[in-house]
Structure formats: structure tokens, C-alpha cells
Amino acid sequence: MPWDISRSCCCRASLCRKSSHRALHKLSMRYGPLMSLQLGSSLPTVVVSSARMAREIMKTHDLDFSSRPSLLCQQKLSYGGTGMAFAPYGDFWREIRKICVVELFSTKRMQSFRFIREEEIFQLVKSISQQSANSSDPIIKLSEMVFALTNNIICRIAFGKKFLHEGSKKCLLLNETQDLLATTTFTDYFPSVRWVFDIVTGLHGRLQRNFCDLDLFYNQIIEEHLHHNRTKKPEKEDITDILLQMQQDQSTSFHVEMDHIKALFMNFLIGGTDTSSATVIWAMTEVIKKPIVMKKTQDELRSLIGNKGHVDEDDLNQLHYLKCVVKETLRLHLPGPLLVSRETINHCKIDGYDIYPKTQVIVNAWAIGMDPEIWKNPEEFIPERFIDGSVDFKGQHFEFIPFGAGRRICPGIYLGVVAVELTLANLLYSFNWELPDGMRKEDIDMVGQNGLTMHKKIPLRLLATTYI
Ligand code: HEM
């Protein structure tokens, strides 16, 4: 029998990744930590919401669960699943992941981009200082500024330049991409009716437009790299240089096509920009709500850094409390509450239940981070719970998996974490922060904006006073 529904919920609800992780949590409280749903006519789905089940899926049976479902928007925007994030499990994904991990995401390579991170964060601190001194408009639009920062860092690392002048236009383009990537279409639910409903609802047009705009942007970057006779020292190479070089050398076990490179661009832009900026903003929101945590973090920073004027990457290892603040933020506000869905490639049995090939698997990592049997007072922001350092996010502790685990674990952990820690450290070291006049901490809205990455819905606005 394909679905044992004795302990599972089997509904035909139109549920997609954009529906709330909280709603799924409520359902799984009722139906158990392994819940099956039949979405539309063709999307059998299992929702996992306990650390024990996550370990089964991402460790014991990791290989069986290591593919991605073929969802229309994700496939289109990743050139038919030819990047890393949305590629089905198989030879292609294994090869591209190996190349990326060795050539692009290695610690050595990521350290070579350290100057970019430090320059951009220095610029951010400078802009905030100037703005805070402007008595006619001292309110800092922190959400927008931090998004621009992480976007600049990723664009300089990936493409060798930033696109500041196109800031708002590009932001809209990426927001739309995010939204589409998190959308499950009628075509995914009911493949037999194909595009009909998606054309009627306008989704087809949106997807096509977004794809064309991004493609144009990628083509410009590739053109610039190919035709501007860029002779660069290896230490100044960006990710596009490295990928184009691989293509020319044919040094890889398969031929790297332009579409593969473009799909990887999308993985970098979406994987790298939004996740880190959302984490910084949630961390700032939590510390402004809990002044005692803000003070403790600032005391640690200011006693370590003294009058040096800025925090650099060498300092991060000594900032133990700051690291706990980041971990606690990733527990309560992980950017991908439902991770990135997996798909089974083989039949397997979990906890006595049959799970068949081509089943979509959603891991509700947010619900796992809120499990009261694991976390005391899970709704509260308490960085001290991580103080002994025994729980980490590198995929070994299944009660805390903001980056996923197993074969598909996020390859950008180093880059993501260092960007978040360094930004937060400099913001809290360089400034004292307050809420704008008349606003109380109880007024801060904690609602998240659903999408592939969960942002704070209402942008964060604060007042800053320069400390040093
Ligand atoms: C705070 C920062 C970040 C968080 C929380 C995060 C989270 C995640 C999660 C949950 C997954 C899915 C893992 C799974 O299926 O088990 C993932 C995959 C991925 N992430 Fe990240 N990520 C972050 C930063 C980055 C950065 C900076 C990059 C690149 C520039 C990146 C690139 C990717 C890619 C390419 C994948 C797909 C891997 C695959 O399917 O093989 N991420 N990330």
C-alpha cells in the first residue's frame, strides 16, 4: 500500500512551499513527526518534523533521499536543473558538486575573498555613521542596507563587480526570482492540464519574464569576462573567471556548458544574498528586543577589540558570545524553515512506513528547532543555550540543521557564517542602537515573509549612535 494513512494525514490541499512552516507544524503535532500528504495528482509528499526522523532521512537513508523534485519554476530558472541546488541526484550533480566544493567553495578560495567582505562591511559602517550624523533623516534603513551589503559581497565574489547603481531594480528582480523559486505551480500538481492554469493565472508570463531578465544579466557578465581581455592575477580571479577557465581548459570530467555556468550564477545569487542578510536582520531584531543580550555582545566585542576601530575576520574565533547569538538566530529564524525539498530515488522503509521513489520530502527544520522536548523555552531567544559549544550547525546535530545535512548540505556554510558574524560584529561594535522615537520593543513586528528565504516582513528601521 503506497500510503499508510493510519497515522498520517492524507489530504488534497493545495499546499506549496510558501505555505507556512507553522501550519505544517500544527498538522504534524496532530499527525506525528512523519506525515504524508497527497498534493494534487502527482506530488506525494512526506513532511518530517522531528530530529529523529531528520537523522533517518539525512543520515541513515541519505542516499535514498538525496534528489530534488522537478518543480516547474525551479527547473526553468536553473536551466533544467543544471546548477547544483535543483539538479536531480545523479552523475551530473555529483560531478558539479565535486567541482564546486573543491574549486569554488574551498576554505582557501573563500579566504581569498576576505578583502571583499572587509571592504564592503567597512563601507556599510561608513554609510551608517554618515547617515546617523544627518539630523534631518537619522533613521537607518537597516534591512535595505544589509541586503545591499550581502548582494555586493556575493556579486563581487561571483562576478567581480557590484551593481550598486542598479540596486533597487536588481533587488526587485531577485525578489521575484525568490518568490518564483518558492512557488509550486498547477503544472506541478496536475501535470495532465499542463500550462493551462498557469497561463490563466499569469504565472507562466511572470516566470518567462524573470527568466529572460536574469538570462540577459548573466549574458552581460559572461560577455564582459570573455571580451574585455581581462588578464588577472589568480588571487584576483572571481568565480566567473574560474568557471570560464574550466570551460576553456576542458579540465573537468564533463563539458561545462554556458547554461551550467548561468545556473550556478543563480545558485550563488539566491543562496548567498538573501540567506545571510535575513539572518543579520533577525539577529539585530532579537538583540534590540533584548537589550541585555545586546549589552553582553557589545561588552565582549568592545573589550576584545578595544580602540582598533573595526572587527576583522581574525577576531571572530574569539567572539564566543557573538557566535551563540548567531546560532540562536539560526535556530529561531532559520532562513530556510523548510530547507530545500528533497525527493526519494529508491523505495525505503522509515519507522515501519513505506516511502516510494519520487516522493517529495519536506524537512520542517524550524519545527525541529522549536521542539520543547529538546529546547527549553523554545520560543525565547536565549543565546546562552549554545554556550558550551557542543551543538553545531555542520549537519551532525539533527536538532539544529539550518544548513541541512548529508550529501545535499549547504556548500556555502563558511561564506554564509563568516558574512553574518562579521557584519553583526561590526554593527554592534561600531554603534549603539535604539528604536526610532516613540517605538517600543513590544511594537516590533516579528512576522516573517514567506518565500524560499524567510525575511522579516516589515523592514527593520533603527537609530544608531557612533561608539568609536
Ligand atoms: C546563512 C546562510 C545560509 C543558509 C542558512 C543556507 C541554507 C541552505 C540549506 C538549508 C540548503 C539545503 C540543504 C539540504 O538540502 O540539506 C542549502 C543548499 C545550498 N546552498 Fe546554502 N545557505 C546559506 C548560505 C549559502 C551561500 C553563501 C551559498 C553560496 C554562495 C549557498 C549555496 C547553496 C547551494 C549551491 C546549495 C545547494 C546544494 C545542493 O543541492 O547540492 N548557501 N543552503
Side-chain angles (χ1 to χ4, degrees), residues 58 68 84-85 93 97 105 154 267-268 271-272 275 279 335 339-340 342 402-405 408 410-412 415-416:
M58 300 162 113
R68 301 277 191 218
M84 198 194 323
W93 172 80
R97 171 124 189 161
F105 287 102
I154 288 293
N267 289 184
F268 259 81
T275 46
T279 310
L339 305 184
V340 180
R342 304 279 187 100
F403 296 94
R408 287 279 188 169
C410 174
L415 181 56

Side-chain angles (χ1 to χ4, degrees), residues 23 78 82 106 110 121 131 147 189 191 201 247 252 271 290 314 325 329 332 338 357 443 458:
S78 64
T82 61
S106 68
M110 286 302 149
I121 291 172
Q131 170 105 42
F147 178 82
Y189 291 131
T201 59
Q247 191 191 39
T252 48
K290 269 209 155 173
D314 293 333
V325 170
T329 307
L332 266 179
L338 303 179
D443 300 333
I458 312 283

Side-chain angles (χ1 to χ4, degrees), residues 201-401:
T201 59
L203 190 81
H204 180 266
R206 272 178 63 200
L207 180 58
Q208 199 57 31
R209 266 192 306 281
N210 191 254
F211 174 80
C212 291
D213 290 347
L214 284 172
D215 193 63
L216 191 71
F217 171 63
Y218 302 150
N219 281 337
Q220 282 166 358
I221 291 164
I222 291 171
E223 283 285 299
E224 280 174 22
H225 280 72
L226 285 177
H227 300 302
H228 286 194
N229 196 17
R230 296 154 59 96
T231 41
K232 279 191 181 171
K233 293 186 186 147
E235 65 272 17
K236 292 275 174 197
E237 280 176 344
D238 54 54
I239 299 289
T240 310
D241 290 318
I242 300 162
L243 288 168
L244 289 172
Q245 195 59 49
M246 278 182 201
Q247 191 191 39
Q248 276 164 21
D249 295 351
Q250 304 211 346
S251 56
T252 48
S253 50
F254 67 98
H255 185 62
V256 179
E257 309 275 353
M258 277 310 173
D259 281 0
H260 302 157
I261 295 180
K262 292 178 187 176
L264 286 173
F265 284 175
M266 186 272 271
N267 289 184
F268 259 81
L269 276 174
I270 299 299
T273 302
D274 256 26
T275 46
S276 308
S277 64
T279 310
V280 173
I281 291 305
W282 283 118
M284 286 297 290
T285 309
E286 288 289 358
V287 298
I288 203 90
K289 275 177 84 84
K290 269 209 155 173
I292 190 156
V293 174
M294 165 117 70
K295 178 157 184 336
K296 229 171 142 177
T297 321
Q298 286 177 323
D299 286 350
E300 178 185 63
L301 276 159
R302 290 170 185 175
S303 67
L304 179 79
I305 308 298
N307 291 332
K308 190 166 74 171
H310 66 275
V311 188
D312 59 43
E313 290 191 16
D314 293 333
D315 302 316
L316 293 178
N317 270 342
Q318 296 176 67
L319 294 167
H320 305 295
Y321 191 69
L322 178 106
K323 283 180 184 286
C324 296
V325 170
V326 171
K327 281 185 180 172
E328 181 66 341
T329 307
L330 287 168
R331 181 187 69 83
L332 266 179
H333 305 284
L334 63 178
L338 303 179
L339 305 184
V340 180
S341 353
R342 304 279 187 100
E343 190 183 82
T344 47
I345 49 176
N346 296 313
H347 165 245
C348 58
K349 250 188 156 69
I350 301 284
D351 229 21
Y353 292 97
D354 286 313
I355 301 186
Y356 285 81
K358 298 206 97 32
T359 300
Q360 175 178 222
V361 181
I362 295 175
V363 178
N364 193 343
W366 175 82
I368 296 172
M370 296 296 283
D371 186 344
E373 293 194 359
I374 299 174
W375 306 98
K376 200 169 164 210
N377 300 329
E379 302 269 351
E380 266 189 62
F381 187 79
I382 311 174
E384 286 73 9
R385 65 173 95 238
F386 287 101
I387 215 99
D388 73 1
S390 58
V391 177
D392 212 331
F393 40 56
K394 294 187 185 147
Q396 300 304 319
H397 300 104
F398 289 85
E399 66 274 35
F400 182 49
I401 44 170

Side-chain angles (χ1 to χ4, degrees), residues 57-121:
I57 304 276
M58 300 162 113
K59 188 169 183 180
T60 317
H61 298 276
D62 185 38
L63 177 60
D64 297 330
F65 286 84
S66 56
S67 201
R68 301 277 191 218
S70 173
L71 302 177
L72 182 74
C73 294
Q74 295 180 355
Q75 287 299 301
K76 175 81 180 169
L77 295 171
S78 64
Y79 295 79
T82 61
M84 198 194 323
F86 301 111
Y89 180 81
D91 291 346
F92 174 79
W93 172 80
R94 273 202 307 274
E95 283 304 314
I96 202 141
R97 171 124 189 161
K98 196 162 77 195
I99 293 169
C100 288
V101 168
V102 175
E103 298 290 340
L104 310 183
F105 287 102
S106 68
T107 310
K108 190 167 164 235
R109 180 77 70 193
M110 286 302 149
Q111 276 167 353
S112 75
F113 297 127
R114 170 181 167 161
F115 76 101
I116 295 181
R117 293 186 287 271
E118 290 181 350
E119 273 173 27
E120 290 300 326
I121 291 172

Side-chain angles (χ1 to χ4, degrees), residues 119-134 137-141 145 148-149 152 164 427 431 433 464 466:
E119 273 173 27
E120 290 300 326
I121 291 172
F122 175 75
Q123 276 305 325
L124 172 76
V125 169
K126 202 167 140 197
S127 310
I128 295 176
S129 287
Q130 285 165 353
Q131 170 105 42
S132 62
N134 176 355
D137 184 17
I139 294 184
I140 309 295
K141 293 182 172 168
M145 290 176 103
L149 165 85
N152 287 342
L164 261 185
L427 289 177
F431 304 100
W433 295 91
T466 304

